[in-house]
Amino acid sequence: MEKRILNKSESYFNEHKALHTATEINQQPEMWKRVAEQLLENKENVNSFMDEVLAVKNLKVVFTGAGSSAFVGEVMQYILGEECGIEAKTLHTTDIISSPDAILFDKPTLLVSYARSGESPESVAAVQFARKRIKNLYNLIFVCDGTSSLAKLGRELEKTMVVALPKETCDQGFAMTSSVSSMALATWMVFHYKELNKYTDIVTNLANEVETKLNEFALKAEVFAENSYRRLVWLGSGALQGLARESAVKSMELSDGYTHASYDGSAAFRHGPKTVINDETVTVHFITNRPYTKKYDVDLNNEINSEKGKNMTVTVGEEGIKELINNSDYYVEYPKKTICPENSQMDAYIYGLLFAQMLSMFKSIQLGYTTDNPCPKGDVNRVVKGIIIYNIT
């Protein structure tokens, strides 16, 4: 019997040149389990490194990466702030290399780098630039290719820990999918290193729960992708604003720009960007499960629903979200919180990410693009090209 992936035969995705993308979306729960097992096996090294670095007085924590890798940092900045009280910021590697004088200062710093291939020129250069400007620099590198230039550099440096994720997380499709979720969950576990056994169980249980929902989410995404739209706005608050940004990029990448996608925070959208709404617009609302922040998400979703003409709205939230938000065109519900800690947005992030990946993939297929390589002319590439790194003193 032919293997099935996300409700479809393997040959279906192969015919639509989307097999890598579909496989890499589908494999995520298995990757998360392997990431959890791997970190638990290296518990001693993780504990030693994190104990040392977090003992540094006045430590500055910086998340960095390019594109989707940086958006992982934008999510984790909020999640770890809420859960661990860690004050952090996200600086994109593209900003570090282009404006180092404005953002690299000689203060004790933990630079947390994210990379799928580890071969983007900015990934290596950002670490090298930071070393030139910061005397007391620690590096925590999450990379999906353990043989890459970034991984090799990390292993040569003092005060550095390289977390090389399972090789299958180095997505072969154009879009970053399993790499994104795996790097986020690995970060979550590492910063909760004092409870690593507990978080291994949490991640494993979350993976098991998600496995039971993959086909349901795929069907919802495929059905909604059949709608005609050219403008897609992803909205969320806190950690889910980073998710909204990631979702916007996925939508544009996999449709080769046909779908013009943007993102914003729920409270910020009224300040001008709301003018984007017209008859061709869909707004997707990520509703957090954080009680206070949820109020802003719900208010905006209901406001746009009350003003609706031919534009459409999608609500992504916990089971029962229809009781708070009326008149959305489509609802995508994930299980009520039973696995992740009460103060965590991680489950909301993971389920929202899955829907965004699937909707972007099915829209790409529906539009007739070669989803695994939606830009065959090479104007945009899986590993960025054309970047010249200029030296700094």
Side-chain angles (χ1 to χ4, degrees), residues 5-16:
I5 304 170
L6 303 176
N7 296 317
K8 301 287 187 184
S9 65
E10 191 175 77
S11 60
Y12 169 86
F13 289 112
N14 199 35
E15 289 166 8
H16 288 86

Side-chain angles (χ1 to χ4, degrees), residues 6-7 213-223 358 362:
L6 303 176
N7 296 317
K213 294 291 183 180
L214 284 173
N215 288 342
E216 176 188 330
F217 269 50
L219 180 60
K220 286 180 176 290
E222 183 181 15
V223 169
M358 292 175 182
F362 280 116

Side-chain angles (χ1 to χ4, degrees), residues 95-121:
D95 293 328
I96 290 175
I97 65 165
S98 59
S99 301
D101 293 338
I103 56 181
L104 290 180
F105 301 101
D106 189 14
K107 298 178 180 179
T109 299
L110 170 62
L111 185 67
V112 183
S113 297
Y114 297 107
R116 173 173 66 173
S117 70
E119 297 298 343
S120 296

